[in-house]
Amino acid sequence: MISCNEYDYVEIVCMYRYPVNITLKTGLIIEGIALDTQYNADRQECIKVDIDDIETLITLASIAILEVGIENPHFKQITFT
């Protein structure tokens, strides 16, 4: 589970549909466009990301770093605890 503060950053990238680089706790880096938040079939909170025109759900609990791929007035990178 992530904090409310961290969740706010997820909502920002989705609201503006920012390109994001998501580093998972496993070290895997995923690049795509943030679309929305959603629960998966296991009722885990996820971020829906467009990766080469394929919508993919990434569980929020698996994210280590969320980085925005463009300049913006909100933030560049957030490290999840």
Side-chain angles (χ1 to χ4, degrees), residues 26-43:
T26 62
L28 178 67
I29 298 173
I30 299 169
E31 296 181 26
I33 306 295
L35 300 175
D36 203 355
T37 57
Q38 181 177 322
Y39 286 97
N40 64 13
D42 295 326
R43 301 291 299 153

Side-chain angles (χ1 to χ4, degrees), residues 36-55:
D36 203 355
T37 57
Q38 181 177 322
Y39 286 97
N40 64 13
D42 295 326
R43 301 291 299 153
Q44 297 169 309
E45 289 181 305
C46 298
I47 181 171
K48 185 190 309 183
V49 179
D50 179 334
I51 304 170
D52 296 327
D53 294 324
I54 298 172
E55 293 183 358

